[in-house]
Amino acid sequence: QSVLTQPTSVSGAPGQRVIISCTGGPSNIGAGQDVHWYHQLPGKAPKLIIYVNSNRPSGVPDRFSGSRSGTSASLAIAGLQADDEGHYYCASFDLSLITSLFGGGTKLTVL
Amino acid sequence: QVQLQESGPGLVKPSETLSLSCSVSGGSFGSYYWTWIRQAPGQGLEWIGYVSRSGTTKHNPSLKGRVIISLDLSRNQVSLKLTSVTAADTAVYFCARGDWNYNFFDAWGQGALVTVSS
């Protein structure tokens, strides 16, 4: 069981907006540690899509946005497209474990 | 554009040592740390540990001291050794570049599948 909790799956129709949540605790997100988001396609390496809570690396569309509040963070994907499918992972740092950690991952299905 | 490439044996026997290398090209070692992350079949991501340019290392306590991560600047390589492996160590192993200030991983290798089996 991950220290960062994500829904197992989310889905949406093309063009819709979905939100993926990431719930942590007082030693990671709640302690002000930054949250990052990765997208992984089957058989591929994860790709950074949001860093430091809300920043997009070059080349990531502005349909992707992130936020952090309290002990949680969220990733919003607007205007869903078929190639948005895959797994999404949140990540942060835990001050008690002194390790980087990942959420369990959320599978996004575009209907 | 930095590129990372993992290499090593795809099959390791139980109780033996898993050894992987990560070749880094096209980027500087100085401003980052270099980390290993693994993913068991059908599972999520697990951070294994990191090494800095100066050789400082840190690993996930859950791996109970079985991890050795090192850096060879002359060969632009990062290495991972995981001792006393069991079937639970079967996974795809990724090397990745980490940001010192914010702990995000902005460049990844394609991953190397390692199976632990006799």
Side-chain angles (χ1 to χ4, degrees):
Chain A
Q1 189 169 353
S2 300
V3 177
L4 301 180
T5 301
Q6 298 180 235
T8 304
S9 63
V10 297
S11 61
Q16 286 189 332
R17 180 175 184 258
V18 295
I19 295 176
I20 299 172
S21 61
C22 174
T23 302
S27 59
N28 42 73
I29 301 175
Q33 293 299 296
D34 295 305
V35 178
H36 321 295
W37 292 89
Y38 301 87
H39 177 216
Q40 185 179 34
L41 294 169
K44 300 294 187 182
K47 173 190 172 186
L48 179 70
I49 57 170
I50 294 288
Y51 65 98
V52 188
N53 307 314
S54 59
N55 297 277
R56 287 185 309 276
S58 174
V60 175
D62 60 5
R63 302 186 295 106
F64 294 85
S65 61
S67 63
R68 181 192 70 178
S69 178
T71 58
S72 296
S74 61
L75 171 71
I77 309 172
L80 272 179
Q81 300 178 1
D83 58 5
D84 294 335
E85 286 198 333
H87 281 83
Y88 290 82
Y89 294 91
C90 63
S92 187
F93 188 84
D94 193 280
L95 296 173
S96 293
L97 299 173
I98 316 181
T99 65
S100 291
L101 38 74
F102 294 91
T106 299
K107 182 178 182 178
L108 169 64
T109 301
V110 180
L111 301 170
Chain B
Q1 185 101 5
V2 66
Q3 292 189 319
L4 294 80
Q5 174 86 46
E6 303 90 346
S7 61
L11 181 64
V12 181
K13 290 183 168 54
S15 80
E16 296 191 343
T17 296
L18 177 160
S19 295
L20 291 173
S21 294
C22 173
S23 296
V24 181
S25 60
S28 164
F29 272 83
S31 304
Y32 305 95
Y33 63 84
W34 305 88
T35 192
W36 288 93
I37 294 160
R38 70 180 182 178
Q39 186 171 36
Q43 302 300 309
L45 301 166
E46 179 183 26
W47 181 80
I48 298 171
Y50 75 74
V51 62
S52 71
R53 178 188 168 91
S54 64
T56 301
T57 59
K58 178 75 174 77
H59 63 264
N60 192 325
S62 69
L63 293 169
K64 297 180 172 57
R66 298 189 293 126
V67 176
I68 302 169
I69 299 175
S70 60
L71 180 62
D72 185 339
L73 293 174
S74 66
R75 300 173 65 188
N76 286 356
Q77 281 190 345
V78 185
S79 296
L80 169 70
K81 293 187 187 301
L82 183 63
T83 63
S84 304
V85 297
T86 70
D89 295 309
T90 294
V92 175
Y93 286 77
F94 297 100
C95 62
R97 186 175 76 172
D99 179 271
W100 264 121
N101 293 317
Y102 301 106
N103 291 304
F104 59 82
F105 310 116
D106 65 346
W108 296 65
Q110 86 285 356
L113 173 63
V114 179
T115 302
V116 178
S117 175
S118 55

